């Protein structure tokens, strides 16, 4: 994005949807982080957010179209959490799980806030409907290729792509 913030901001201001996945949600705090809060509702902030590798027993917001046809699943991934969400506007917490020490097998970055988040429900996929009519999605999974073989993992991401593009997600996903 470096150097293209104004172009991206103009596009999203026209209602263009934007979805960022895994490392794509990791941007510097400050101006770039503020853009991501505006465009997709949040971002991974170095020194605040964490990125452990852990097995998540995923729950989904059954009232959101992105969750259509996805009952939940379990997947081991580098699930980022403790994201820096926007203070203004509603952020839909679509895919969540509870990290516990016994589920985490690798820490890459660790913060006091990340440690405080253990045992508490954390958001790994979120969605916003912006005032400009556009939609934004952030998804922290996708590190391990093996997860793309999981039907429900793949389906929730495909549902998010359809939704962020302004389409109607089919009832069964």
């Amino acid at each position: 994005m470096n150097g293209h913030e104004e172009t991206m901001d103009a596009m999203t201001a026209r209602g263009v949807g934007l979805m960022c996945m895994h490392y794509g949600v990791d941007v510097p705090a400050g101006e770039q982080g503020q853009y991501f809060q505006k465009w997709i509702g949040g971002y991974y902030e170095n020194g605040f957010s964490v990125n452990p590798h852990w097995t998540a027993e995923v729950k989904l917001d059954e009232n959101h179209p992105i969750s259509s046809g996805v009952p939940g699943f379990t997947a081991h991934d580098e699930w980022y959490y403790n994201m820096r969400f926007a203070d203004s506007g509603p952020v839909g917490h679509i895919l969540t799980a509870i990290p516990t020490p016994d589920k985490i097998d690798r820490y890459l970055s660790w913060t006091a806030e990340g440690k405080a988040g253990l045992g508490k429900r954390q958001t790994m996929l979120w969605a916003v409907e912006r005032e400009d009519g556009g939609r934004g999605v952030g998804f922290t999974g996708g590190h391990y290729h093996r997860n793309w073989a999981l039907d429900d993992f793949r389906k929730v991401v495909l549902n998010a792509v359809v939704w962020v593009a302004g389409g109607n997600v089919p009832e069964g996903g």
Side-chain angles (χ1 to χ4, degrees):
M1 173 172 90
N2 295 325
H4 300 281
E5 294 86 351
E6 289 182 20
T7 300
M8 292 294 298
D9 199 47
M11 291 173 66
T12 59
R14 290 192 310 271
V16 171
L18 178 63
M19 180 173 174
C20 297
M21 294 178 19
H22 199 60
Y23 193 66
V25 301
D26 184 345
V27 298
E31 184 179 19
Q32 288 183 345
Q34 291 168 356
Y35 275 123
F36 270 61
Q37 287 176 322
K38 177 181 173 183
W39 300 335
I40 67 169
Y43 68 100
Y44 177 100
E45 181 182 308
N46 195 20
F48 177 77
S49 306
V50 293
N51 60 342
H53 294 226
W54 57 292
T55 301
E57 296 173 21
V58 171
K59 302 260 187 246
L60 290 114
D61 175 356
E62 60 188 38
N63 297 315
H64 197 282
I66 290 174
S67 302
S68 294
V70 184
F73 55 90
T74 299
H76 184 271
D77 208 327
E78 182 184 9
W79 295 109
Y80 303 169
Y81 72 85
N82 201 49
M83 308 307 286
R84 185 66 81 178
F85 292 113
D87 292 331
S88 62
V91 173
H93 301 273
I94 311 303
L95 186 148
T96 63
I98 301 172
T100 56
D102 62 306
K103 294 177 183 175
I104 297 173
D105 63 8
R106 184 176 179 204
Y107 299 92
L108 296 180
S109 67
W110 202 237
T111 64
E113 293 84 2
K115 188 174 183 180
L118 290 171
K120 298 175 184 170
R121 188 155 296 281
Q122 300 292 329
T123 301
M124 288 95 70
L125 186 149
W126 64 92
V128 295
E129 291 193 65
R130 300 188 310 267
E131 289 183 15
D132 56 38
R135 295 172 173 176
V137 171
F139 176 60
T140 73
H143 183 79
Y144 290 119
H145 289 99
R146 67 177 172 252
N147 288 331
W148 298 104
L150 301 173
D151 290 341
D152 290 330
F153 184 98
R154 212 172 43 252
K155 186 182 289 188
V156 76
V157 173
L158 290 171
N159 287 352
V161 169
V162 169
W163 184 84
V164 81
N168 293 317
V169 179
E171 188 174 317

